[in-house]
Amino acid sequence: MTALHGTTAESPGAAQSLTDGDRDERRDVAGDLEIIAIEAIPFSIPYAKPLAFASGAVHVADHVLVRVHTAGGIVGTAEAPPRPFTYGETQGSIIAVVDGIFADQIIGTSALAREAIHARLHRTVGNPAAKAAIDMALWDAIGQRLGVSVTELLGGYGTGMRVSHMLGFDEPQAMVAEATRMRETYGISTFKIKVGRAPFTLDVAVCRALREAFSDEVELYVDGNRGWSPADAERAMRQMADLDLLFAEELCPADDVLGRRRHTRTSPVPVIADESATTPGEVTRELLGGSADAISIKTARTGFTTSQRILHQCEGMGVEVVMGNQIDGQIGTACSVTFGAAHEHTSRRAGELSNFLDMSDDLLAEPLTISGGVLPVRTGPGLGLVIDEDKLAHYRIDI
Ligand SMILES: [Mg+2]
């Protein structure tokens, strides 16, 4: 690739214009990245250990593999994990919207024209996982064509992230045992506790059991998935004020507007907005309305492009962020760490990057590995992902 001209030693400070060669190279990049086809492939992989939480449970990863093919023979890849009980997307709806609406809107456009592509995709409301997977597949294609990793393209801050593990619903001692196993096997020392069942007979007891089991050796925070009322949230947080929690996430619905503002105001720890803050507009509404103090960023629902907008919005406002998990498989998790490790602001907190450990299998030829509590980022080019085609053939459900 020809380097663009800038200031040189021979002509310090002199403005340089593009040569014909530079222009040809740029045309080649854009041309090679012209989108010629999009595939949306449904696959289903059972969970070895299903995850249960206040708004649902996941027993099988019914995800969609999205592949963007370009004129230069590059294939950008990402994964769309639908969450029917949260956003209404399903495996079938993702395939329908990609094949029936989005493909026609972007075929013939260069992957470099990301703003134009987003403007077209966002004519359609909703469908966050479908849009996010297309966005991340485009970045993968761009990185591959340029011969650099996506994490470098995005920001290039670090080489990995500390991992936070999500503890789904179970009896208190079973959740302590799960956390112990994660500490001993993977070195993980940050845990997100799913609450939102029975605040005063079960949820508080679970949190207390975990704190007592690990003293100050672990970081703990809670996620209610809208399972408590604002009054219960306020009372439960008061009862847990001595547990040294990091955050409290989405304890009650955003539509409980005034109750949620009151609970956020009285909470002893910052309140994270997750499923209530899935667009830059919703982030503004939750933060300026006083209904949240911090934001969960999930690449599975905002891709890289919109996640970066939300990240910079939060950074500019002095608001903390956490890299969340949409119960991603390994491809989605690789995307999360690609984004999280790329930026300083997302690297401050442990990212939720371990749900794939509970799946019975996955599609990557080289599996992700967590060691010493850290998930390293793939070094590229692009996202650095190779799909095991035999496994894809085994788990895809469309042929
Ligand atoms: Mg959440």
Side-chain angles (χ1 to χ4, degrees):
M1 181 179 166
T2 308
L4 297 182
H5 286 207
T7 302
T8 65
E10 291 75 29
S11 56
Q16 301 289 314
S17 59
L18 296 178
T19 66
D20 288 346
D22 292 334
R23 290 196 185 87
D24 288 346
E25 173 65 14
R26 289 175 68 164
R27 270 196 294 273
D28 285 350
V29 174
D32 283 353
L33 286 168
E34 181 189 330
I35 300 162
I36 59 168
I38 302 180
E39 282 184 283
I41 304 168
F43 64 93
S44 293
I45 300 177
Y47 269 81
K49 180 181 179 299
L51 182 74
F53 42 97
S55 54
V58 175
H59 299 269
V60 179
D62 290 320
H63 296 183
V64 179
L65 186 72
V66 172
R67 284 173 152 169
V68 175
H69 298 259
T70 77
I74 296 163
V75 182
T77 303
E79 173 182 29
R83 289 290 154 254
F85 35 76
T86 308
Y87 309 109
E89 281 184 297
T90 65
Q91 199 176 38
S93 79
I94 287 172
I95 292 163
V97 79
V98 171
D99 288 349
I101 298 177
F102 294 156
D104 278 352
Q105 290 178 335
I106 66 174
I107 285 175
T109 307
S110 172
L112 289 175
R114 295 187 308 281
E115 287 286 313
I117 290 170
H118 271 269
R120 290 174 208 157
L121 297 183
H122 286 295
R123 289 175 194 158
T124 304
V125 172
N127 299 282
K131 291 174 184 170
I134 289 174
D135 176 74
M136 294 189 288
L138 294 175
W139 279 88
D140 183 30
I142 293 167
Q144 289 183 52
R145 176 59 182 82
L146 299 179
V148 297
S149 70
V150 173
T151 203
E152 288 172 302
L153 282 177
L154 287 167
Y157 176 74
T159 57
M161 286 189 83
R162 282 193 302 127
V163 174
S164 165
H165 183 69
M166 205 180 282
L167 298 168
F169 285 174
D170 211 326
E171 294 304 311
Q173 285 315 311
M175 293 172 74
V176 169
E178 164 82 351
T180 302
R181 185 171 71 84
M182 286 293 150
R183 289 194 77 207
E184 291 175 351
T185 310
Y186 302 104
I188 294 171
S189 58
T190 302
F191 296 96
K192 170 151 111 174
I193 309 162
K194 288 292 192 183
V195 296
R197 290 182 283 183
F200 309 111
T201 56
L202 190 53
D203 292 324
V204 170
V206 164
C207 297
R208 195 164 291 286
L210 283 158
R211 178 54 78 207
E212 285 172 358
F214 299 112
S215 184
D216 60 356
E217 299 159 13
V218 298
E219 295 180 324
L220 300 174
Y221 56 114
V222 294
D223 182 2
N225 291 102
R226 299 162 281 140
W228 291 345
S229 70
D232 282 352
E234 187 176 338
R235 184 173 164 220
M237 290 308 296
R238 206 164 49 233
Q239 291 189 3
M240 296 193 290
D242 62 327
L243 298 187
D244 191 24
L245 300 176
L246 289 181
F247 296 109
E249 179 173 318
E250 208 82 42
L251 298 182
C252 52
D255 280 352
D256 292 339
V257 180
L258 296 183
R260 184 156 134 150
R261 283 185 198 170
R262 178 185 159 88
H263 131 60
T264 300
R265 204 169 51 241
T266 60
S267 171
V269 298
V271 172
I272 297 175
D274 177 11
E275 56 263 44
S276 62
T278 66
T279 65
E282 289 176 352
V283 168
T284 301
R285 222 159 27 229
E286 290 306 299
L287 292 174
L288 296 190
S291 299
D293 310 296
I295 297 295
S296 174
I297 294 178
K298 293 181 176 172
T299 50
R301 71 179 172 216
T302 42
F304 296 139
T305 304
T306 306
S307 291
Q308 208 165 41
R309 288 181 181 150
I310 290 173
L311 169 64
H312 292 158
Q313 181 183 8
C314 291
E315 205 170 358
M317 294 177 75
V319 165
E320 284 215 56
V321 298
V322 172
M323 288 307 298
N325 193 314
Q326 196 157 303
I327 320 181
D328 302 297
Q330 294 201 17
I331 301 167
T333 304
C335 289
S336 291
V337 74
T338 288
F339 184 89
H343 306 94
E344 188 272 342
H345 202 61
T346 41
S347 296
R348 292 180 181 177
R349 298 289 180 183
E352 296 162 10
L353 300 165
S354 61
N355 281 91
F356 72 88
L357 295 172
D358 293 334
M359 287 172 67
S360 62
D361 202 355
D362 220 302
L363 298 183
L364 286 188
E366 187 191 337
L368 303 183
T369 52
I370 297 170
S371 172
V374 171
L375 178 65
V377 73
R378 292 279 161 114
T379 51
L383 290 167
L385 306 178
V386 177
I387 302 298
D388 182 325
E389 295 296 336
D390 290 337
K391 286 189 175 181
L392 178 60
H394 179 70
Y395 291 114
R396 68 189 295 172
I397 58 170
D398 59 337
I399 53 174

